């Protein structure tokens, strides 16, 4: 370990900011999370983040870079946060500049789903691949794309937002005015609400806590036919979006993580069947559908790895 620089990975969630010190993909130290509602505006929160970063640097002098993953639209090159999901007041905040000037360290600020994709590509299920699509399924649906051995970020650094891809041109209207966005069908809350209605249509009363993805997975494993049907429906919707990604990008693998993916074979088996039914032989014969290696730490791992890359550190496999 003494020969390898360390990095701080920061996972900026909707209610808290988490900090870890990483050696390769291993979190070797963590600080208590910072609660975002406790601070009035970006400046106060950034100051709190800097205090935590300073404490971690005191404990680990070999820290050479800082990576921050945020749930929102980020200008990757400039490190400007244009918005943060569920955190008010974060509009056009130059977070990279502020952290770099205060710490005198290389800083990367990236969308959290891209951080997850980078973690899986460099250190996880997609290691060694040059073409992949990564999805994280939770309250929302995030995504990241690697093509020709490079992260795909797009002209405005907004590429890879698979959750906003339409699976129904006459479907539900999303937060950005788009119709039929995948996120509005396979997010945690949407799965639960739709499942409750399916049960009601079958004459069965279920409260929302009994219809979460975790509860539905347990029910399906116990042979609940309605729950199994709901998972098949979720898989079909997800397969539609992934099918479009495959025809557009021709990836070697699709890597799926997040809370919904914890359903395991209950989701992956029907997903594979629905997906392969919509692809030609050359595509599906060489396509892998893989569970993500990393869980909740994926964003932190990816942010730290990106930061070390920014610092010019090349980590050996």
């Amino acid at each position: 370990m003494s020969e390898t620089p360390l990095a701080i990975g920061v996972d900026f969630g909707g209610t808290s900011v988490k900090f870890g010190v990483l050696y390769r993909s291993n979190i070797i130290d963590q600080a208590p999370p910072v609660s975002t509602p406790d601070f009035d505006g970006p400046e106060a929160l950034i100051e709190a983040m800097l205090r935590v970063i300073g404490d971690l640097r005191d404990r680990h002098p070999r820290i050479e870079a800082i990576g921050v993953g945020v749930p929102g639209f980020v200008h990757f090159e400039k490190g400007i946060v244009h918005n943060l999901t569920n955190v008010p007041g974060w509009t056009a905040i130059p977070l990279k500049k502020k952290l770099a000037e205060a710490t005198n360290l290389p800083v990367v600020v990236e969308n959290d789903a891209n951080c997850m994709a980078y973690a899986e590509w460099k250190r996880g299920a997609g290691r060694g691949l040059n073409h992949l699509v990564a999805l994280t399924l939770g309250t929302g649906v995030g995504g990241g794309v690697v093509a020709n051995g490079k992260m795909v970020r797009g002209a405005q650094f907004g590429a890879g937002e698979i959750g906003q891809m339409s699976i129904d041109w006459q479907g539900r209207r999303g937060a950005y005015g788009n119709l039929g966005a995948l996120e509005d069908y396979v997010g945690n809350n949407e799965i639960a609400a739709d499942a409750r209605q399916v049960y009601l249509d079958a004459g069965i009363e279920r409260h929302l806590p009994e219809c979460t993805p975790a509860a539905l997975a347990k029910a399906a494993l116990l042979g609940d036919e309605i729950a199994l049907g709901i998972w098949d429906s979720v898989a079909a919707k997800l397969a539609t979006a992934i099918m479009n990604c495959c025809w557009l990008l021709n990836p070697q693998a699709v890597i799926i993580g997040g809370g919904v993916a914890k359903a395991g074979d209950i989701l992956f088996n029907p997903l594979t069947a629905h997906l392969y039914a919509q692809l030609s032989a050359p595509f599906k014969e060489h396509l892998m559908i893989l569970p993500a290696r990393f869980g909740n730490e994926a964003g932190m791992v990816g942010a730290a790895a990106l930061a070390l890359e920014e610092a010019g550190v090349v980590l050996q496999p």
Side-chain angles (χ1 to χ4, degrees), residues 8 26 42 45 60 92 94 101 105 109 113 123 176 180 182 218 235 249 257 272:
I8 293 176
N26 300 309
L45 182 52
H60 302 278
E101 288 180 349
L105 288 176
V109 181
R123 313 304 281 175
Y176 303 97
L182 176 68
K218 290 180 181 178
L249 299 166
T272 301

Side-chain angles (χ1 to χ4, degrees), residues 135-165:
L135 291 91
T136 176
L137 309 175
T139 303
V141 177
V145 174
V146 174
N148 300 316
K150 295 181 179 180
M151 287 289 299
V152 177
R153 293 190 172 90
Q156 304 300 325
F157 306 97
E161 290 291 352
I162 296 164
Q164 300 308 319
M165 290 175 57

Side-chain angles (χ1 to χ4, degrees), residues 105-308:
L105 288 176
V107 175
V108 163
V109 181
E110 175 64 293
N111 171 268
D112 57 354
N114 279 354
C115 289
M116 174 267 187
Y118 193 86
E120 293 296 336
W121 175 35
K122 291 294 187 178
R123 313 304 281 175
R127 197 164 166 177
L129 302 180
N130 289 318
H131 309 271
L132 64 86
V133 171
L135 291 91
T136 176
L137 309 175
T139 303
V141 177
V145 174
V146 174
N148 300 316
K150 295 181 179 180
M151 287 289 299
V152 177
R153 293 190 172 90
Q156 304 300 325
F157 306 97
E161 290 291 352
I162 296 164
Q164 300 308 319
M165 290 175 57
S166 177
I167 60 171
D168 182 357
W169 64 280
Q170 292 181 310
R172 299 168 181 172
R173 186 172 297 278
Y176 303 97
N178 47 338
L179 299 177
L182 176 68
E183 186 173 84
D184 293 314
Y185 295 87
V186 301
N188 284 342
N189 296 333
E190 288 71 23
I191 289 174
D194 289 348
R196 183 174 185 274
Q197 187 60 52
V198 171
Y199 277 111
L200 281 174
D201 291 344
I204 301 171
E205 177 74 28
R206 286 281 191 275
H207 299 293
L208 284 176
E210 301 173 283
C211 297
T212 64
L216 290 171
K218 290 180 181 178
L221 287 171
L222 293 173
D224 183 329
E225 292 296 331
I226 293 177
L228 285 166
I230 292 167
W231 278 113
D232 185 74
S233 177
V234 170
K237 294 165 184 171
L238 186 57
T240 298
I242 295 175
M243 174 268 296
N244 287 324
C245 290
C246 289
W247 282 108
L248 180 66
L249 299 166
N250 189 197
Q252 296 165 284
V254 177
I255 299 170
I256 303 175
V260 174
K262 292 180 180 178
D265 288 345
I266 294 295
L267 170 64
F268 280 82
N269 287 345
L271 171 62
T272 301
H274 284 296
L275 178 58
Y276 284 9
Q278 301 177 76
L279 296 175
S280 70
F283 280 57
K284 62 187 176 186
E285 287 171 1
H286 300 281
L287 177 68
M288 297 178 286
I289 309 299
L290 304 172
R293 173 188 170 187
F294 299 109
N296 293 334
E297 74 277 16
M300 196 177 287
V301 171
L306 275 166
L308 286 177

